[in-house]
């Protein structure tokens, strides 16, 4: 799914979303398979395949000289998998050319609860030039300087939550203050789940950096980039 710069709506990044394809070609969404996958201890396998699929996509775009970045979710089950995650860290460290093109995404809850071991592994990636994004934000009172030190360069917040915050904290500046402090920390704000022009118009008042949602494009099946993909990719990550 594309992530666009605002207000230009220029496609800058893509988020990789996991889908399972049935034998008849039907797409099975996470909300349909997550419970079953958890019951059968398959979540880690699905997450691991998504991470390596992101790397495959990056290799394809690099062969075509495209410049973009893919956001890929890293779940707590993946970071807790000691037979997988340390080796994955080593692999990424050995591929510094991927660093500008891959953004690893962790939830706010996961970042707040990182073990010392996992935090150290992520610091190694940050030192190697890899960037992180924080999503599923429920508490807006986060320490931006601490996030920046951890290598977080993007924070995703639901567009509707941002607008509610603007109403609830009007006397304190609300979203404008949040955006200013994020700018000072060198962290870009991505408003996600933008589905209507009206929501976008209201969000643009706060100089949001990037937007994501069905208004700009729905997730599409990954494949070798078609010719029409070239123009979108002529952009620096």
């Amino acid at each position: 799914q594309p992530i666009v710069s605002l207000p230009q709506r220029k496609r800058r990044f893509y988020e990789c979303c996991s889908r399972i394809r049935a034998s008849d070609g039907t797409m099975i969404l996470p909300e349909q398979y997550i419970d079953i996958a958890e019951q059968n201890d398959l979540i880690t396998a699905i997450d691991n395949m998504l991470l390596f699929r992101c790397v495959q996509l990056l290799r394809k775009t690099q062969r075509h000289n495209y410049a973009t970045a893919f956001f890929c979710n890293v779940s707590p089950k993946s970071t807790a998998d000691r037979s997988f995650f340390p080796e994955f860290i080593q692999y990424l460290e050995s591929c510094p050319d991927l660093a500008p093109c891959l953004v690893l995404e962790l939830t706010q809850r996961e970042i707040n609860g990182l073990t010392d071991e996992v935090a150290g592994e992520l610091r190694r990636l940050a030192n190697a030039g890899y960037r992180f994004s924080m999503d599923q934000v429920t508490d807006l009172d986060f320490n931006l300087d601490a996030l920046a030190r951890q290598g977080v360069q993007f924070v995703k917040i639901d567009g509707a939550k941002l607008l509610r915050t603007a109403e609830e904290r009007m006397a304190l500046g609300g979203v404008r203050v949040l955006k200013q402090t994020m700018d000072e920390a060198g962290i870009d704000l991505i408003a996600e789940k933008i589905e209507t022009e009206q929501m976008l118009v209201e969000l643009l008042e706060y100089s949001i950096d990037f937007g994501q949602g069905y208004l700009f494009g729905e997730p599409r099946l990954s494949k070798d980039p078609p010719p029409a993909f070239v123009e979108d990719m002529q952009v620096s990550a």
Side-chain angles (χ1 to χ4, degrees):
Q1 185 177 36
I3 299 172
V4 305
S5 60
L6 296 175
Q8 303 90 348
R9 305 195 194 192
K10 180 78 173 180
R11 293 185 176 188
R12 292 293 306 273
F13 313 114
Y14 286 86
E15 179 176 357
C16 292
C17 308
S18 61
R19 301 288 186 270
I20 293 178
R21 203 180 324 169
S23 57
D24 63 357
T26 304
M27 288 296 165
I28 304 174
L29 303 178
E31 54 265 31
Q32 297 172 293
Y33 70 72
I34 285 294
D35 289 342
I36 297 173
E38 287 182 342
Q39 292 167 15
N40 291 275
D41 295 324
L42 293 173
I43 292 295
T44 301
I46 293 172
D47 288 344
N48 296 354
M49 284 190 288
L50 179 63
L51 285 168
F52 278 110
R53 181 57 177 154
C54 283
V55 172
Q56 288 179 329
L57 287 171
L58 287 172
R59 291 300 188 200
K60 288 180 180 180
T61 58
Q62 286 178 332
R63 285 200 300 269
H64 291 277
N65 294 320
Y66 301 144
T68 190
F70 289 90
F71 283 57
C72 188
N73 180 264
V74 181
S75 78
K77 291 186 179 293
S78 288
T79 57
D81 185 348
R82 295 292 89 194
S83 65
F84 163 76
F85 199 63
E87 292 187 5
F88 183 68
I89 297 294
Q90 291 178 2
Y91 173 76
L92 291 182
E93 284 183 313
S94 70
C95 303
D97 57 312
L98 293 179
C101 311
L102 180 61
V103 180
L104 298 178
E105 195 159 78
L106 299 91
T107 67
Q108 183 180 44
R109 181 177 180 179
E110 184 177 4
I111 288 177
N112 289 341
L114 287 176
T115 65
D116 291 340
E117 186 175 24
V118 174
E121 290 168 340
L122 295 179
R123 278 196 298 272
R124 284 166 50 192
L125 285 186
N127 292 336
Y130 286 90
R131 297 172 292 173
F132 303 102
S133 172
M134 184 173 76
D135 72 345
Q136 295 187 31
V137 173
T138 57
D139 182 4
L140 295 182
D141 294 322
F142 38 70
N143 187 327
L144 288 164
D145 290 332
L147 289 176
R149 287 194 297 271
Q150 289 175 301
V152 174
Q153 292 191 20
F154 303 93
V155 169
K156 285 186 177 182
I157 303 177
D158 188 310
K161 183 176 183 63
L162 285 171
L163 293 178
R164 286 196 302 272
T165 300
E167 294 178 359
E168 295 167 359
R169 305 186 185 183
M170 185 62 69
L172 301 177
V175 177
R176 287 187 176 85
V177 171
L178 173 64
K179 182 63 173 61
Q180 180 180 349
T181 55
M182 290 181 71
D183 289 342
E184 292 170 353
I187 296 176
D188 288 328
L189 174 59
I190 301 175
E192 60 179 347
K193 299 181 182 178
I194 301 177
E195 299 185 357
T196 67
E197 291 286 350
Q198 180 59 38
M199 177 183 285
L200 176 60
V201 168
E202 294 180 36
L203 288 170
L204 287 178
E205 294 185 20
Y206 304 103
S207 302
I208 306 296
D209 300 296
F210 299 99
Q212 181 179 0
Y214 277 76
L215 180 63
F216 311 114
E218 61 185 68
R220 65 185 184 188
L221 183 65
S222 64
K223 55 185 178 181
D224 285 317
F229 204 59
V230 177
E231 184 178 353
D232 281 342
M233 295 298 96
Q234 302 306 315
V235 119
S236 170

